[in-house]
Amino acid sequence: MRFVLVLSAALLLVLFAACDDAASDPEVDVTLDEWSVVVDPETANDGAIEFTVENKGEREHEFVIVRTDIPAADLPTKDDGSFDEDAPGVDVKEEVEGIDNGDRTGRSFELDAGKYVFVCNRVEDIDSVETAHFAEGMVAEFDVTEGN
């Protein structure tokens, strides 16, 4: 009987340790809207990061993860006002396109320590005007730090 109790206690410790590891995976909420990208929290440890991206806007948006040391305000642009994804000093890591209004999606991405920006880089015709979502302010900075 004593052996069963010790074995049960050991199994419980293993289960609690496994639950603690799962709970420590970074989770980041990203909200897209006209014309903003809101990130909470604005930093996470490197490795697998779980992103929940929600489009609260009325327009379709996208979520682009870019590694760069260039501040968001100084990112290179194209003539149409969109962010230049092929410019020197930027490295597009991940992209989730076609996030319709009201949609919410969860994605896990492996990110190394460094500085990042999150961008919606769609360009669309709005009232006969070519409108770049990036130029309208759809960009947020994000830091990934080295974990323990």
Side-chain angles (χ1 to χ4, degrees):
M1 179 68 165
R2 185 176 207 158
F3 174 75
V4 171
L5 287 174
V6 171
L7 183 60
S8 296
L11 286 173
L12 281 174
L13 285 173
V14 168
L15 285 174
F16 283 129
C19 289
D20 188 41
D21 285 345
S24 67
D25 289 345
E27 294 180 10
V28 176
D29 292 323
V30 179
T31 303
L32 308 173
D33 205 344
E34 285 82 40
W35 303 105
S36 65
V37 177
V38 178
V39 182
D40 183 36
E42 295 175 347
T43 187
N45 287 339
D46 61 347
I49 302 172
E50 182 66 33
F51 291 94
T52 300
V53 183
E54 184 173 9
N55 181 356
K56 290 189 176 180
E58 294 181 17
R59 304 186 174 287
E60 181 180 294
H61 293 295
E62 66 180 3
F63 176 57
V64 183
I65 300 174
V66 182
R67 185 169 182 180
T68 183
D69 289 326
I70 302 170
D74 298 329
L75 287 170
T77 58
K78 294 181 178 181
D79 290 340
D80 63 4
S82 65
F83 161 65
D84 187 352
E85 296 181 11
D86 297 319
V90 299
D91 183 13
V92 175
K93 291 296 189 183
E94 302 291 345
E95 188 168 356
V96 181
E97 296 179 334
I99 305 170
D100 289 329
N101 61 319
D103 281 357
R104 180 182 177 120
T105 184
R107 305 285 173 95
S108 183
F109 298 117
E110 286 277 335
L111 298 180
D112 294 328
K115 295 190 178 293
Y116 293 81
V117 292
F118 300 155
V119 175
C120 176
N121 209 27
R122 285 185 37 84
V123 178
E124 67 177 309
D125 182 282
I126 299 176
D127 299 325
S128 300
V129 176
E130 191 172 67
T131 304
H133 292 207
F134 173 77
E136 294 295 321
M138 293 198 71
V139 60
E141 295 181 344
F142 187 75
D143 288 324
V144 177
T145 58
E146 288 190 28
N148 296 340

